[in-house]
Amino acid sequence: MAKSKADIVGPIAVRLLREKREALGLSMSAVAKRARLSHSMISRVEHELRRPTLDTLLRIAEAMEIELWPLIKESEKAFRPPPKAGNR
């Protein structure tokens, strides 16, 4: 069974957020505090133990002072929809 767009794009976007956090030199605790989320929530999201809501992703991005949408667009490049029936 083919994976959905969300199953592919979501984890890639989360990985890119983690990479941005690390590149900015921010700890999970610092991002959690700025985003008004728990450290464990940031950890669960980054380790793909929790599927974050859009609100959570936006709060994390805002806490890091970055735009979420470019990361999502970049993540979408990995998604290739399955071929339509009859177009094989």
Coordinates of all heavy atoms in Angstrom, one line a residue:
M1 N 0.8 -1.2 0.0 CA 0.0 0.0 0.0 C 0.9 1.2 0.0 O 1.8 1.3 0.8 CB -0.9 0.0 1.2 CG -1.9 1.1 1.3 SD -3.1 0.7 2.5 CE -3.6 2.2 3.0
A2 N 0.6 2.2 -0.9 CA 1.4 3.4 -1.0 C 1.2 4.3 0.2 O 0.1 4.3 0.8 CB 1.0 4.2 -2.2
K3 N 2.2 5.0 0.6 CA 2.1 5.9 1.7 C 1.4 7.2 1.3 O 1.6 7.6 0.2 CB 3.5 6.2 2.3 CG 4.2 5.1 3.0 CD 5.5 5.6 3.7 CE 6.0 4.5 4.5 NZ 7.2 5.0 5.3
S4 N 0.7 7.8 2.2 CA 0.1 9.1 1.9 C 1.1 10.2 1.9 O 2.2 10.0 2.4 CB -1.0 9.4 3.0 OG -0.4 9.7 4.2
K5 N 0.7 11.3 1.3 CA 1.5 12.5 1.3 C 2.0 12.9 2.7 O 3.1 13.2 2.9 CB 0.8 13.6 0.6 CG 1.6 14.8 0.3 CD 0.8 15.8 -0.5 CE 1.7 17.0 -1.0 NZ 1.0 17.9 -1.9
A6 N 1.0 12.9 3.6 CA 1.3 13.3 5.0 C 2.3 12.3 5.6 O 3.2 12.7 6.4 CB 0.1 13.3 5.9
D7 N 2.3 11.0 5.3 CA 3.2 10.0 5.9 C 4.6 10.3 5.4 O 5.6 9.9 6.0 CB 2.8 8.6 5.5 CG 1.5 8.2 6.2 OD1 1.2 8.7 7.3 OD2 0.8 7.3 5.7
I8 N 4.8 10.9 4.2 CA 6.1 11.1 3.6 C 6.6 12.5 4.0 O 7.7 12.7 4.5 CB 6.1 10.9 2.1 CG1 5.8 9.4 1.8 CG2 7.4 11.4 1.5 CD1 5.5 9.1 0.4
V9 N 5.7 13.5 3.8 CA 6.1 14.9 3.9 C 6.3 15.3 5.4 O 7.3 16.0 5.7 CB 5.1 15.9 3.3 CG1 5.4 17.3 3.6 CG2 5.1 15.6 1.8
G10 N 5.4 14.8 6.3 CA 5.5 15.1 7.7 C 6.9 14.8 8.3 O 7.5 15.7 8.9
P11 N 7.3 13.6 8.2 CA 8.6 13.3 8.9 C 9.8 14.0 8.3 O 10.7 14.4 9.0 CB 8.7 11.8 8.6 CG 7.3 11.3 8.5 CD 6.6 12.4 7.8
I12 N 9.7 14.3 7.0 CA 10.8 15.1 6.3 C 10.8 16.5 6.9 O 11.9 17.1 7.2 CB 10.7 15.1 4.8 CG1 10.9 13.6 4.3 CG2 11.7 16.0 4.2 CD1 10.6 13.5 2.8
A13 N 9.6 17.1 7.0 CA 9.5 18.5 7.5 C 10.0 18.5 9.0 O 10.8 19.4 9.3 CB 8.1 19.0 7.5
V14 N 9.7 17.5 9.7 CA 10.2 17.4 11.1 C 11.7 17.3 11.2 O 12.4 18.0 12.0 CB 9.5 16.3 11.9 CG1 10.2 16.0 13.2 CG2 8.0 16.6 12.1
R15 N 12.3 16.5 10.3 CA 13.7 16.3 10.2 C 14.4 17.7 9.9 O 15.4 18.1 10.5 CB 14.1 15.3 9.2 CG 15.6 14.9 9.3 CD 16.1 14.1 8.1 NE 16.1 15.1 7.0 CZ 15.8 14.8 5.7 NH1 15.4 13.6 5.4 NH2 15.8 15.7 4.8
L16 N 13.8 18.4 8.9 CA 14.3 19.7 8.5 C 14.3 20.7 9.6 O 15.2 21.5 9.8 CB 13.6 20.2 7.3 CG 13.9 19.4 6.0 CD1 13.0 19.9 4.8 CD2 15.3 19.5 5.6
L17 N 13.2 20.7 10.4 CA 13.0 21.5 11.6 C 14.1 21.2 12.6 O 14.8 22.1 13.1 CB 11.7 21.4 12.2 CG 10.5 22.2 11.8 CD1 9.2 21.8 12.5 CD2 10.8 23.7 12.0
R18 N 14.4 19.9 12.8 CA 15.4 19.6 13.8 C 16.8 20.0 13.3 O 17.6 20.6 14.1 CB 15.5 18.0 14.0 CG 16.5 17.6 15.0 CD 16.7 16.1 15.1 NE 17.4 15.7 13.9 CZ 17.0 14.8 13.1 NH1 15.8 14.2 13.2 NH2 17.7 14.4 12.0
E19 N 17.1 19.9 12.0 CA 18.3 20.3 11.4 C 18.5 21.8 11.6 O 19.6 22.3 11.9 CB 18.4 19.9 10.0 CG 18.6 18.4 9.8 CD 18.6 17.9 8.4 OE1 18.4 18.7 7.4 OE2 18.7 16.7 8.1
K20 N 17.4 22.6 11.3 CA 17.4 24.0 11.5 C 17.7 24.4 13.0 O 18.5 25.3 13.2 CB 16.1 24.7 11.1 CG 15.9 24.7 9.6 CD 16.7 25.8 8.9 CE 16.3 25.9 7.5 NZ 17.0 27.0 6.8
R21 N 17.1 23.7 13.9 CA 17.3 24.0 15.3 C 18.7 23.8 15.7 O 19.4 24.6 16.3 CB 16.4 23.1 16.2 CG 16.6 23.3 17.7 CD 15.8 22.3 18.5 NE 16.2 20.9 18.3 CZ 17.3 20.3 18.7 NH1 18.2 21.0 19.4 NH2 17.5 19.0 18.5
E22 N 19.3 22.7 15.2 CA 20.7 22.4 15.5 C 21.6 23.4 14.9 O 22.6 23.8 15.5 CB 21.0 21.0 15.1 CG 20.3 19.9 15.9 CD 20.5 18.5 15.4 OE1 20.9 18.3 14.2 OE2 20.2 17.5 16.1
A23 N 21.3 23.8 13.6 CA 22.2 24.8 12.9 C 22.1 26.1 13.6 O 23.1 26.9 13.6 CB 21.7 24.9 11.5
L24 N 21.0 26.4 14.2 CA 20.9 27.7 15.0 C 21.5 27.6 16.4 O 21.5 28.6 17.1 CB 19.4 28.1 15.1 CG 18.7 28.5 13.8 CD1 17.2 28.6 14.0 CD2 19.2 29.8 13.3
G25 N 21.9 26.4 16.8 CA 22.5 26.2 18.1 C 21.5 26.3 19.2 O 21.9 26.6 20.3
L26 N 20.3 25.9 18.9 CA 19.2 26.0 20.0 C 19.0 24.6 20.5 O 19.0 23.6 19.8 CB 17.9 26.5 19.4 CG 17.9 27.9 18.9 CD1 16.6 28.2 18.1 CD2 18.0 28.9 20.0
S27 N 18.8 24.5 21.8 CA 18.5 23.3 22.5 C 17.0 23.0 22.4 O 16.2 23.9 22.1 CB 18.9 23.3 24.0 OG 18.1 24.2 24.6
M28 N 16.7 21.7 22.6 CA 15.2 21.4 22.6 C 14.5 22.2 23.7 O 13.4 22.7 23.5 CB 15.0 19.9 22.8 CG 15.3 19.1 21.7 SD 14.7 17.4 22.0 CE 15.9 16.5 21.1
S29 N 15.2 22.3 24.8 CA 14.6 23.1 26.0 C 14.3 24.5 25.6 O 13.3 25.1 26.0 CB 15.5 23.0 27.2 OG 15.6 21.7 27.6
A30 N 15.3 25.2 24.9 CA 15.1 26.6 24.5 C 13.9 26.7 23.6 O 13.1 27.6 23.7 CB 16.4 27.1 23.9
V31 N 13.8 25.8 22.6 CA 12.7 25.9 21.7 C 11.4 25.6 22.4 O 10.4 26.3 22.2 CB 12.9 24.9 20.5 CG1 11.7 24.8 19.6 CG2 14.1 25.3 19.7
A32 N 11.4 24.6 23.3 CA 10.2 24.3 24.0 C 9.7 25.5 24.8 O 8.5 25.8 24.8 CB 10.5 23.1 24.9
K33 N 10.6 26.2 25.5 CA 10.3 27.3 26.3 C 9.7 28.4 25.4 O 8.6 29.0 25.8 CB 11.5 27.8 27.1 CG 11.2 28.9 28.0 CD 12.4 29.3 28.9 CE 12.0 30.4 29.8 NZ 13.2 30.8 30.7
R34 N 10.3 28.7 24.3 CA 9.9 29.8 23.4 C 8.5 29.4 22.8 O 7.7 30.3 22.5 CB 10.9 30.0 22.3 CG 12.2 30.7 22.8 CD 13.1 30.8 21.6 NE 14.4 31.3 22.0 CZ 15.4 31.6 21.1 NH1 15.2 31.4 19.8 NH2 16.6 32.0 21.5
A35 N 8.3 28.2 22.5 CA 7.1 27.7 21.8 C 6.0 27.4 22.8 O 4.9 27.1 22.4 CB 7.4 26.5 21.0
R36 N 6.3 27.5 24.1 CA 5.3 27.2 25.2 C 4.8 25.7 25.0 O 3.7 25.4 25.1 CB 4.1 28.2 25.2 CG 4.6 29.6 25.5 CD 3.4 30.6 25.3 NE 2.6 30.5 24.1 CZ 2.9 30.9 22.9 NH1 4.0 31.5 22.7 NH2 2.0 30.7 21.9
L37 N 5.8 24.9 24.8 CA 5.6 23.4 24.7 C 6.5 22.7 25.7 O 7.5 23.3 26.1 CB 5.9 22.9 23.3 CG 5.0 23.4 22.2 CD1 5.6 23.1 20.8 CD2 3.6 22.8 22.3
S38 N 6.3 21.5 26.0 CA 7.2 20.8 26.9 C 8.4 20.3 26.2 O 8.3 20.1 24.9 CB 6.5 19.6 27.6 OG 6.2 18.6 26.6
H39 N 9.5 20.1 26.9 CA 10.7 19.5 26.3 C 10.4 18.1 25.7 O 10.8 17.8 24.6 CB 11.8 19.4 27.3 CG 13.0 18.8 26.8 ND1 13.2 17.4 26.8 CD2 14.2 19.3 26.3 CE1 14.4 17.1 26.3 NE2 15.0 18.2 26.0
S40 N 9.6 17.4 26.4 CA 9.2 16.0 26.0 C 8.4 16.1 24.7 O 8.6 15.2 23.8 CB 8.5 15.2 27.1 OG 7.2 15.8 27.4
M41 N 7.6 17.1 24.5 CA 6.8 17.2 23.2 C 7.8 17.5 22.1 O 7.7 16.8 21.0 CB 5.8 18.4 23.3 CG 5.2 18.7 22.0 SD 4.2 17.3 21.3 CE 2.7 17.6 22.1
I42 N 8.8 18.3 22.3 CA 9.8 18.6 21.2 C 10.5 17.3 20.9 O 10.7 17.0 19.7 CB 10.7 19.7 21.6 CG1 10.0 21.0 21.9 CG2 11.8 19.9 20.6 CD1 9.3 21.7 20.8
S43 N 10.9 16.6 21.9 CA 11.7 15.4 21.8 C 10.8 14.3 21.0 O 11.3 13.7 20.1 CB 12.1 14.8 23.1 OG 12.8 13.6 22.9
R44 N 9.6 14.2 21.4 CA 8.7 13.2 20.8 C 8.5 13.5 19.3 O 8.5 12.7 18.4 CB 7.4 13.1 21.5 CG 7.5 12.4 22.8 CD 6.1 12.2 23.4 NE 6.2 12.1 24.8 CZ 5.5 12.8 25.7 NH1 4.6 13.6 25.3 NH2 5.7 12.5 27.0
V45 N 8.3 14.8 19.0 CA 8.2 15.2 17.6 C 9.4 15.0 16.8 O 9.4 14.4 15.7 CB 7.8 16.7 17.5 CG1 7.9 17.3 16.1 CG2 6.4 17.0 18.1
E46 N 10.6 15.4 17.3 CA 11.8 15.2 16.6 C 12.2 13.7 16.4 O 12.9 13.4 15.4 CB 13.0 15.9 17.3 CG 12.9 17.4 17.1 CD 14.1 18.2 17.5 OE1 15.1 17.5 17.9 OE2 14.1 19.4 17.5
H47 N 11.8 12.9 17.3 CA 12.1 11.4 17.2 C 11.0 10.7 16.6 O 11.0 9.4 16.6 CB 12.4 10.9 18.6 CG 13.7 11.4 19.1 ND1 13.8 12.4 20.0 CD2 15.0 11.0 18.9 CE1 15.1 12.7 20.3 NE2 15.8 11.8 19.6
E48 N 10.0 11.4 16.0 CA 8.9 10.8 15.3 C 8.1 9.9 16.1 O 7.5 8.9 15.6 CB 9.3 10.2 14.0 CG 9.9 11.2 13.0 CD 10.4 10.5 11.7 OE1 9.7 9.6 11.2 OE2 11.4 11.0 11.2
L49 N 8.0 10.2 17.4 CA 7.1 9.4 18.3 C 5.8 10.0 18.4 O 4.9 9.4 19.0 CB 7.8 9.3 19.7 CG 9.2 8.6 19.7 CD1 9.8 8.7 21.1 CD2 9.1 7.2 19.2
R50 N 5.6 11.2 17.9 CA 4.4 11.9 18.0 C 4.2 12.7 16.6 O 5.1 13.3 16.2 CB 4.4 12.9 19.1 CG 3.2 13.8 19.2 CD 2.5 13.6 20.4 NE 1.3 14.4 20.4 CZ 0.5 14.6 21.4 NH1 0.9 14.2 22.6 NH2 -0.6 15.3 21.3
R51 N 3.0 12.6 16.1 CA 2.7 13.3 14.8 C 2.2 14.7 15.2 O 1.1 14.8 15.8 CB 1.7 12.5 14.0 CG 1.5 13.1 12.7 CD 0.5 12.2 11.9 NE 1.0 11.9 10.6 CZ 0.4 11.1 9.8 NH1 -0.7 10.5 10.1 NH2 0.9 10.9 8.6
P52 N 3.0 15.7 15.0 CA 2.6 17.1 15.4 C 1.4 17.6 14.6 O 1.3 17.4 13.4 CB 3.9 17.9 15.2 CG 4.5 17.2 14.1 CD 4.2 15.8 14.2
T53 N 0.7 18.5 15.3 CA -0.4 19.2 14.6 C 0.2 20.4 13.9 O 1.4 20.8 14.1 CB -1.4 19.8 15.6 OG1 -0.8 20.7 16.5 CG2 -2.1 18.7 16.4
L54 N -0.5 21.0 13.0 CA 0.0 22.2 12.3 C 0.3 23.3 13.3 O 1.3 24.0 13.2 CB -1.0 22.7 11.3 CG -0.7 24.0 10.5 CD1 0.7 23.8 9.8 CD2 -1.8 24.4 9.6
D55 N -0.5 23.5 14.4 CA -0.3 24.5 15.4 C 1.1 24.2 16.1 O 1.8 25.2 16.3 CB -1.4 24.4 16.4 CG -1.2 25.4 17.6 OD1 -1.2 26.6 17.3 OD2 -0.9 24.9 18.7
T56 N 1.4 23.0 16.4 CA 2.6 22.6 17.0 C 3.8 23.0 16.1 O 4.8 23.6 16.6 CB 2.7 21.2 17.5 OG1 1.6 20.9 18.4 CG2 4.0 20.8 18.1
L57 N 3.7 22.6 14.9 CA 4.8 22.9 13.9 C 5.0 24.4 13.8 O 6.1 24.9 13.8 CB 4.5 22.3 12.6 CG 4.6 20.8 12.5 CD1 4.1 20.3 11.1 CD2 6.0 20.3 12.8
L58 N 3.9 25.1 13.7 CA 4.0 26.6 13.6 C 4.6 27.2 14.8 O 5.5 28.1 14.7 CB 2.6 27.2 13.3 CG 2.1 27.0 11.9 CD1 0.6 27.4 11.8 CD2 2.9 27.8 10.9
R59 N 4.3 26.7 16.0 CA 4.8 27.2 17.2 C 6.3 26.9 17.3 O 7.1 27.8 17.8 CB 4.1 26.7 18.4 CG 2.7 27.2 18.6 CD 1.8 26.5 19.5 NE 2.3 26.6 20.9 CZ 1.7 26.0 21.9 NH1 0.6 25.4 21.8 NH2 2.2 26.1 23.1
I60 N 6.7 25.8 16.9 CA 8.2 25.4 16.9 C 8.9 26.3 15.9 O 10.0 26.9 16.3 CB 8.4 23.9 16.6 CG1 7.8 23.0 17.7 CG2 9.8 23.6 16.3 CD1 7.7 21.5 17.3
A61 N 8.4 26.5 14.7 CA 9.1 27.3 13.7 C 9.1 28.8 14.2 O 10.2 29.4 14.1 CB 8.3 27.3 12.4
E62 N 8.1 29.3 14.8 CA 8.1 30.6 15.3 C 9.1 30.8 16.4 O 9.8 31.8 16.5 CB 6.7 31.0 15.8 CG 6.6 32.4 16.3 CD 5.1 32.8 16.7 OE1 4.2 32.6 15.9 OE2 5.0 33.2 17.9
A63 N 9.2 29.8 17.3 CA 10.2 29.8 18.4 C 11.6 29.9 17.9 O 12.5 30.5 18.5 CB 10.0 28.6 19.3
M64 N 11.8 29.3 16.7 CA 13.2 29.4 16.1 C 13.3 30.6 15.1 O 14.4 30.7 14.5 CB 13.4 28.1 15.3 CG 13.5 26.9 16.2 SD 14.1 25.4 15.4 CE 13.0 25.1 14.1
E65 N 12.2 31.4 15.0 CA 12.2 32.5 14.1 C 12.5 32.2 12.7 O 13.3 32.8 12.0 CB 13.2 33.6 14.6 CG 12.8 34.1 16.0 CD 13.8 35.2 16.6 OE1 14.8 35.4 16.0 OE2 13.4 35.7 17.6
I66 N 11.9 31.1 12.2 CA 12.0 30.7 10.8 C 10.6 30.5 10.3 O 9.6 30.3 11.0 CB 12.8 29.4 10.6 CG1 12.1 28.2 11.4 CG2 14.2 29.6 11.1 CD1 12.7 26.9 11.0
E67 N 10.5 30.4 8.9 CA 9.2 30.2 8.3 C 9.1 28.7 8.1 O 10.0 28.0 7.6 CB 9.2 30.9 6.9 CG 9.2 32.4 7.0 CD 7.8 32.9 7.5 OE1 6.8 32.3 7.2 OE2 7.9 33.9 8.2
L68 N 7.9 28.2 8.4 CA 7.6 26.7 8.2 C 7.3 26.4 6.8 O 7.8 25.3 6.3 CB 6.4 26.4 9.1 CG 5.9 24.9 9.0 CD1 7.0 24.0 9.5 CD2 4.6 24.7 9.8
W69 N 6.7 27.2 6.0 CA 6.2 26.9 4.7 C 7.3 26.5 3.7 O 7.2 25.5 3.0 CB 5.4 28.0 4.1 CG 4.2 28.3 5.0 CD1 4.0 29.5 5.7 CD2 3.2 27.4 5.5 NE1 2.9 29.3 6.5 CE2 2.4 28.1 6.4 CE3 2.9 26.0 5.2 CZ2 1.3 27.5 7.0 CZ3 1.8 25.4 5.8 CH2 1.0 26.2 6.7
P70 N 8.5 27.1 3.7 CA 9.6 26.7 2.8 C 10.0 25.3 3.2 O 10.4 24.5 2.3 CB 10.7 27.7 3.1 CG 10.0 28.9 3.5 CD 8.8 28.4 4.3
L71 N 10.0 24.9 4.5 CA 10.4 23.5 4.8 C 9.4 22.5 4.3 O 9.7 21.4 3.9 CB 10.5 23.4 6.4 CG 11.6 24.3 7.0 CD1 11.6 24.0 8.5 CD2 12.9 24.0 6.4
I72 N 8.1 22.9 4.4 CA 7.1 22.0 3.9 C 7.2 21.8 2.4 O 7.1 20.7 1.9 CB 5.7 22.5 4.3 CG1 5.5 22.3 5.9 CG2 4.6 21.7 3.6 CD1 4.2 22.9 6.4
K73 N 7.4 22.9 1.7 CA 7.6 22.9 0.2 C 8.8 22.0 -0.1 O 8.7 21.2 -1.0 CB 7.7 24.3 -0.4 CG 6.5 25.1 -0.3 CD 5.3 24.5 -1.0 CE 5.3 24.8 -2.4 NZ 4.1 24.2 -3.1
E74 N 9.9 22.1 0.6 CA 11.0 21.3 0.3 C 10.7 19.8 0.6 O 11.1 19.0 -0.1 CB 12.2 21.8 1.2 CG 13.5 21.1 0.9 CD 14.7 21.6 1.7 OE1 14.6 22.8 2.2 OE2 15.6 20.8 1.9
S75 N 10.0 19.6 1.7 CA 9.6 18.2 2.0 C 8.7 17.6 1.0 O 8.8 16.4 0.7 CB 8.9 18.2 3.4 OG 9.7 18.7 4.4
E76 N 7.8 18.4 0.4 CA 6.9 17.9 -0.6 C 7.6 17.3 -1.9 O 7.1 16.5 -2.6 CB 5.9 19.0 -1.1 CG 4.8 19.2 -0.1 CD 3.9 20.3 -0.6 OE1 4.3 21.3 -1.1 OE2 2.6 20.0 -0.5
K77 N 8.8 17.8 -2.1 CA 9.6 17.3 -3.3 C 9.8 15.8 -3.2 O 10.0 15.1 -4.2 CB 10.9 18.0 -3.4 CG 10.8 19.5 -3.7 CD 12.1 20.2 -3.7 CE 12.0 21.7 -3.9 NZ 13.3 22.4 -3.8
A78 N 9.8 15.2 -2.0 CA 10.0 13.8 -1.8 C 8.8 13.0 -2.1 O 8.9 11.8 -2.3 CB 10.5 13.5 -0.4
F79 N 7.6 13.6 -2.2 CA 6.4 12.9 -2.5 C 6.1 12.8 -4.0 O 6.1 13.7 -4.7 CB 5.2 13.6 -1.8 CG 3.9 12.9 -2.1 CD1 3.6 11.7 -1.4 CD2 3.0 13.4 -2.9 CE1 2.4 11.0 -1.6 CE2 1.8 12.8 -3.2 CZ 1.5 11.6 -2.5
R80 N 6.0 11.5 -4.4 CA 5.6 11.2 -5.8 C 4.3 10.4 -5.7 O 4.3 9.3 -5.3 CB 6.7 10.5 -6.5 CG 7.9 11.3 -6.8 CD 8.9 10.6 -7.6 NE 10.0 11.4 -8.0 CZ 11.0 11.8 -7.2 NH1 10.9 11.6 -5.9 NH2 12.0 12.5 -7.7
P81 N 3.2 11.0 -6.2 CA 1.9 10.3 -6.1 C 2.0 9.0 -6.9 O 2.7 9.0 -7.9 CB 0.9 11.2 -6.6 CG 1.6 12.3 -7.3 CD 3.0 12.3 -6.8
P82 N 1.3 8.0 -6.5 CA 1.3 6.7 -7.3 C 0.6 7.0 -8.7 O -0.2 7.9 -8.8 CB 0.4 5.8 -6.5 CG -0.4 6.6 -5.5 CD 0.4 7.9 -5.4
P83 N 1.1 6.2 -9.7 CA 0.5 6.4 -11.0 C -1.0 6.1 -11.0 O -1.5 5.3 -10.3 CB 1.3 5.5 -11.9 CG 1.9 4.5 -11.0 CD 2.0 5.2 -9.6
K84 N -1.7 6.9 -11.8 CA -3.1 6.7 -12.0 C -3.4 5.4 -12.7 O -2.6 5.0 -13.6 CB -3.8 7.9 -12.7 CG -3.7 9.1 -11.9 CD -4.4 10.3 -12.6 CE -4.3 11.5 -11.7 NZ -4.9 12.7 -12.4
A85 N -4.5 4.8 -12.4 CA -4.9 3.5 -13.1 C -5.0 3.8 -14.6 O -5.5 4.8 -15.0 CB -6.2 3.0 -12.6
G86 N -4.4 2.9 -15.4 CA -4.5 3.1 -16.8 C -3.3 3.9 -17.4 O -3.2 4.0 -18.6
N87 N -2.5 4.5 -16.6 CA -1.4 5.4 -17.0 C -0.1 4.7 -16.7 O 0.9 5.3 -16.4 CB -1.4 6.7 -16.3 CG -2.5 7.6 -16.8 OD1 -3.1 7.3 -17.8 ND2 -2.7 8.7 -16.1
R88 N 0.0 3.4 -16.9 CA 1.2 2.6 -16.5 C 2.1 2.5 -17.6 O 2.2 2.3 -18.7 CB 0.9 1.3 -15.9 CG 0.2 1.5 -14.6 CD -0.2 0.2 -14.0 NE -1.0 0.5 -12.8 CZ -1.1 -0.3 -11.8 NH1 -0.4 -1.4 -11.8 NH2 -1.8 0.0 -10.8

